[in-house]
Amino acid sequence: MGIITTFANQLKPIHLTQGNQRNNMELKKRYQEKLDNALHKSEDIKKKNLHISLLRVIIFIAGFIALCICYNQGGIVIGGILLATLIPFLLLVKLHNRLYHQKDWNETSIRHYQAELASLENDNSAFDGGKEWIDTSHPFSLDLDIFGEQSLFQFLNRTCTPFGKETLSRWLRQPLDNKKEIETRQQAIKELGKYPDFRETFRITGCLYKNKETGIEDLKTWIEAPSVFLQKKSNQWICWAVPCINILLFVLGILDILSMSWFGLVFCTFAIASSKLIRQITRIQEAYNKNLKMLSTYAQLIELADKQSMENPLLLSLKQGFESNGKKAPEVLSLLAKELDRLDLRNNLILYALLEGSMFWQLRQMLRIERWKQEHGTHLLQWLEALGKLDALCALGTFAFNHPEYVYPELTDQPFVFQAKDMGHPLMPRQQCVVNDADIPQRPYFLIITGANMAGKSTYLRTIGCNYILACIGAPVCGSFLRIYPAHLMTSLRTSDSLANNESYFFAELKRLQQILERLKNGEEMFIILDEILKGTNSMDKQKGSFSLVKQLLQLKTNGIIATHDLLLGELKKHFPNEISNYCFEADIQNDELTFSYKLREGVAQNMNACFLMQKMGINIE
């Protein structure tokens, strides 16, 4: 353990430039000021709430005492006391509710800015890592730690809607391969990066009423479900007939043409008859109410986007899509939210009896909700999909804002190019991130990376892979320069055996290689990253198989990077001098100590450290 600690302490990081340090300090200062302001407001709101609560108690006690003193002064005096007590009391209740909303907003703001400050210190635990998308069969996501704890998704994720979260995950799972589409998204992210106040307000609003159960599939199910109540035309006649009959009987009772008992009897009959609908409507309400109630929040998010001036064509097209039959989405969504709130009035027993007996309230509201669905339901999914895209773009805009030292890659139509300068792994702490270059100038072409254990080969491969994915989703990358041709990425870095499928480690690796070859034979353009080919077999088979595989990959006109302990793979350059370059990560032994520079060097590795480490651990090597 002591030896490993010693080696870890010998890490030689590439320190941040003065410009990067200044950017980081400015970001921390901004978020800290925002946090301090939210904390100050929160304390102020607590004091106001306390004062309002005390004032309400005082008004109530004063009113009660006044009533006790003046109980025999007549109805006018008592009525005046009640009004003088009730009106300010209700106003204070309304003010308290408003302050309660402000309290929620400030508490959500505090959590947001605390999370951003922690993220600048490389702690992203406050953000969802998207573990539900961990997939061992995916072409690259498991190998590159795209999802899960301390993943790239967690690093990027600032979404506040389930649709935005799903959209961002889909972009990472299915990166773009079209130059124009990537450049369009780049421009959108660049523009959103310039609107920090809008992005923060957008996210805090979404997180304020966040309902984790809300999903687009649930809303799609509701929209596609038949309109149960509208299908029966008799329901519409009932909604008209019930109030008309009540009014008629009430007027006849007032005019003494009929006894008022008839009105009371029919009224009660209607209230009892409507109870047959309770179970059916409650079932529908329980199934969709939480999801539909969130639409008022989405309306606020869309309204925020509508008020924010934007210039990028992609952002403008998203904003312009928030309309239905000449009405703007916030107005339409707010209308549904009001109808749902009105339906909740039936939860009050007294109101339920009055509303149902007089007009069959719950049936009337269900008809109004289903009419809304018929008129606007088809647009709803489009709005939520657009909102999800905007949410994901805002998340990437925050990523760009938090990393002003990152650069947007250049896209080329020339297959294949991957040229990088000073590229580092985005998930590594800035103070420890060692940067390296990469150059794949043509098709076909492979980089063969040799080196000792712990020298940095695997980290380098993941650095290339993560930045390549960032580039293909339109985000900036951790480096000073990157030019790429967008192709489909395929990796084999973390193959494992499977007891469930009765697969050995070696067979699982062969299956991944087979997938790569089949996709290449089908004409797919690919970028391949492999770590230690055929590591599940013996040395002779491994060398022979590795040589044959690389030759076949070159024949299929593809590109990639291969890391290996097998120094003999460096011999391939003799056979393919124009299609292969050898690079290495060396382990340097000086004064009987092992050190790593983690810097990429040309050529084949000369030093291996296995025997040295074994001797250090007390294992004799003959």
Side-chain angles (χ1 to χ4, degrees):
M1 191 69 174
I3 294 172
I4 296 174
T5 303
T6 301
F7 295 153
N9 290 337
Q10 291 171 351
L11 177 69
K12 296 180 179 178
I14 302 300
H15 295 290
L16 296 171
T17 65
Q18 288 185 352
N20 291 344
Q21 288 177 331
R22 185 169 59 252
N23 288 333
N24 200 37
M25 292 292 291
E26 289 175 356
L27 283 167
K28 286 182 179 179
K29 181 181 177 182
R30 182 185 185 279
Y31 286 133
Q32 189 62 55
E33 287 177 352
K34 292 277 189 177
L35 175 60
D36 293 341
N37 185 44
L39 288 169
H40 177 74
K41 286 183 178 179
S42 184
E43 289 299 319
D44 187 48
I45 289 169
K46 286 180 182 178
K47 292 178 182 178
K48 287 181 179 179
N49 271 330
L50 179 61
H51 294 158
I52 288 172
S53 298
L54 290 173
L55 192 55
R56 283 164 59 187
V57 172
I58 291 169
I59 289 174
F60 179 81
I61 293 173
F64 179 77
I65 293 171
L67 285 173
C68 291
I69 295 172
C70 302
Y71 75 95
N72 58 354
Q73 297 296 315
I76 296 176
V77 174
I78 292 174
I81 293 171
L82 286 173
L83 286 175
T85 304
L86 188 61
I87 291 174
F89 188 86
L90 291 176
L91 289 174
L92 287 173
V93 169
K94 187 175 181 179
L95 180 57
H96 180 268
N97 289 336
R98 187 181 300 170
L99 287 172
Y100 188 81
H101 173 77
Q102 293 178 10
K103 173 178 172 289
D104 281 351
W105 174 271
N106 276 283
E107 288 177 351
T108 307
S109 299
I110 289 167
R111 290 193 296 271
H112 169 79
Y113 293 118
Q114 286 175 337
E116 290 296 352
L117 284 167
S119 180
L120 294 178
E121 299 296 331
N122 215 53
D123 176 8
N124 294 290
S125 58
F127 304 106
D128 193 331
K131 62 180 180 180
E132 61 266 38
W133 289 295
I134 295 176
D135 181 5
T136 57
S137 63
H138 190 271
F140 58 80
S141 66
L142 184 68
D143 289 340
L144 301 180
D145 300 309
I146 301 297
F147 300 106
E149 293 301 313
Q150 300 181 350
S151 65
L152 185 62
F153 180 81
Q154 190 178 50
F155 188 52
L156 299 172
N157 184 21
R158 300 297 189 274
T159 59
C160 61
T161 68
F163 322 113
K165 178 184 171 184
E166 199 284 328
T167 298
L168 182 59
S169 76
R170 186 175 66 253
W171 288 354
L172 287 168
R173 286 175 283 141
Q174 303 168 11
L176 295 172
D177 59 0
N178 181 281
K179 176 177 179 286
K180 186 175 180 180
E181 290 180 6
I182 296 173
E183 289 175 338
T184 301
R185 193 182 288 171
Q186 276 185 354
Q187 295 304 315
I189 294 168
K190 282 182 183 178
E191 182 172 345
L192 285 172
K194 299 175 183 176
Y195 307 146
D197 292 333
F198 162 72
R199 286 184 286 96
E200 289 163 9
T201 303
F202 187 91
R203 183 168 191 272
I204 292 168
T205 301
C207 290
L208 192 60
Y209 303 107
K210 194 167 184 181
N211 176 14
K212 295 182 179 178
E213 296 178 4
T214 306
I216 200 164
E217 289 302 320
D218 296 327
L219 291 169
K220 185 178 180 181
T221 301
W222 176 70
I223 289 168
E224 294 176 350
S227 298
V228 178
F229 296 96
L230 275 177
Q231 283 179 347
K232 294 182 179 180
K233 291 185 178 180
S234 60
N235 286 335
Q236 299 183 48
W237 285 106
I238 290 171
C239 286
W240 283 106
V242 169
C244 288
I245 291 170
N246 277 319
I247 291 170
L248 177 62
L249 291 175
F250 183 77
V251 171
L252 292 175
I254 292 292
L255 298 175
D256 287 330
I257 298 174
L258 285 176
S259 171
M260 283 297 289
S261 60
W262 281 103
F263 169 73
L265 178 63
V266 172
F267 186 95
C268 292
T269 301
F270 287 152
I272 294 170
S274 71
S275 64
K276 294 181 179 180
L277 298 171
I278 289 178
R279 185 176 297 178
Q280 184 180 7
I281 293 176
T282 300
R283 186 167 59 249
I284 295 171
Q285 197 175 16
E286 288 177 350
Y288 304 114
N289 205 33
K290 286 183 179 179
N291 296 327
L292 296 177
K293 284 290 182 68
M294 283 298 294
L295 294 179
S296 59
T297 299
Y298 303 147
Q300 293 179 48
L301 295 177
I302 294 171
E303 192 169 5
L304 284 171
D306 188 56
K307 291 179 179 178
Q308 176 65 45
S309 60
M310 298 178 183
E311 300 176 358
N312 178 263
L314 175 58
L315 298 176
L316 289 175
S317 68
L318 292 176
K319 286 178 62 173
Q320 291 166 1
F322 293 126
E323 288 189 5
S324 172
N325 301 328
K327 296 181 180 179
K328 291 189 176 183
E331 178 186 352
V332 175
L333 292 174
S334 296
L335 178 62
L336 177 60
K338 289 177 182 177
E339 300 295 356
L340 291 166
D341 288 339
R342 289 171 184 162
L343 184 62
D344 285 342
L345 292 175
R346 72 196 189 101
N347 296 329
N348 185 300
L349 291 177
I350 297 175
L351 279 176
Y352 168 79
L354 292 173
L355 293 171
E356 293 305 313
S358 61
M359 62 180 71
F360 259 47
W361 178 259
Q362 56 184 349
L363 178 59
R364 183 181 297 273
Q365 283 306 111
M366 288 305 299
L367 290 174
R368 292 169 69 91
I369 290 168
E370 288 187 346
R371 287 194 192 99
W372 185 98
K373 182 172 75 171
Q374 284 189 344
E375 185 177 358
H376 305 291
T378 54
H379 296 93
L380 177 58
L381 293 180
Q382 297 173 10
W383 295 338
L384 296 181
E385 184 179 352
L387 184 61
K389 289 179 181 178
L390 181 61
D391 192 14
L393 287 170
C394 283
L396 294 177
T398 299
F399 170 70
F401 179 79
N402 286 349
H403 300 86
E405 72 277 15
Y406 285 15
V407 298
Y408 287 89
E410 296 180 12
L411 283 300
T412 177
D413 291 320
Q414 175 191 348
F416 177 89
V417 171
F418 186 98
Q419 295 174 323
K421 295 288 186 183
D422 304 319
M423 182 153 287
H425 198 300
L427 299 182
M428 292 191 69
R430 302 183 191 206
Q431 293 80 5
Q432 298 177 8
C433 185
V434 179
V435 298
N436 283 290
D437 300 341
D439 187 7
I440 302 177
Q442 64 187 38
R443 172 182 289 171
Y445 205 91
F446 269 84
L447 304 182
I448 306 295
I449 312 295
T450 52
N453 294 304
M454 304 187 299
K457 300 189 305 299
S458 296
T459 300
Y460 179 74
L461 297 185
R462 289 185 173 86
T463 297
I464 298 296
C466 283
N467 282 292
Y468 189 78
I469 295 303
L470 286 173
C472 290
I473 67 171
V477 300
C478 182
S480 62
F481 172 81
L482 178 63
R483 179 186 291 121
I484 69 161
Y485 174 83
H488 295 164
L489 180 64
M490 190 84 173
T491 66
S492 182
L493 311 180
R494 194 177 277 157
T495 310
S496 61
D497 54 7
S498 173
L499 294 176
N501 296 325
N502 196 28
E503 289 182 355
S504 68
Y505 180 95
F506 180 63
F507 185 68
E509 185 181 12
L510 287 181
K511 281 179 64 177
R512 177 57 65 99
L513 296 176
Q514 182 186 38
Q515 291 173 11
I516 292 173
L517 294 173
E518 286 178 352
R519 290 173 65 176
L520 288 171
K521 289 174 182 177
N522 290 332
E524 193 170 339
E525 294 181 328
M526 296 184 69
F527 178 38
I528 300 164
I529 300 177
L530 306 175
D531 191 6
E532 206 60 53
I533 309 171
L534 306 177
K535 44 189 171 286
T537 188
N538 64 68
S539 298
M540 187 174 294
D541 269 357
K542 177 181 174 181
Q543 289 174 4
K544 186 176 180 180
S546 298
F547 269 68
S548 299
L549 177 65
V550 176
K551 290 178 181 179
Q552 191 171 357
L553 292 174
L554 289 171
Q555 290 170 358
L556 291 169
K557 305 295 182 182
T558 192
N559 299 79
I561 305 176
I562 299 173
T564 181
H565 290 93
D566 189 352
L567 303 184
L568 289 178
L569 272 186
E571 298 294 319
L572 279 167
K573 182 171 175 60
K574 296 179 180 178
H575 302 282
F576 302 95
N578 298 320
E579 290 86 21
I580 286 180
S581 288
N582 286 324
Y583 289 92
C584 66
F585 286 95
E586 286 286 15
D588 299 315
I589 302 174
Q590 298 176 349
N591 301 321
D592 200 34
E593 290 292 338
L594 186 66
T595 60
F596 302 103
S597 69
Y598 303 108
K599 295 295 290 182
L600 192 67
R601 308 177 190 179
E602 291 190 20
V604 179
Q606 301 299 311
N607 300 323
M608 290 293 154
N609 60 15
C611 291
F612 176 84
L613 287 173
M614 291 173 71
Q615 288 177 327
K616 280 283 189 179
M617 297 291 288
I619 302 172
N620 293 326
I621 303 296
E622 295 182 1

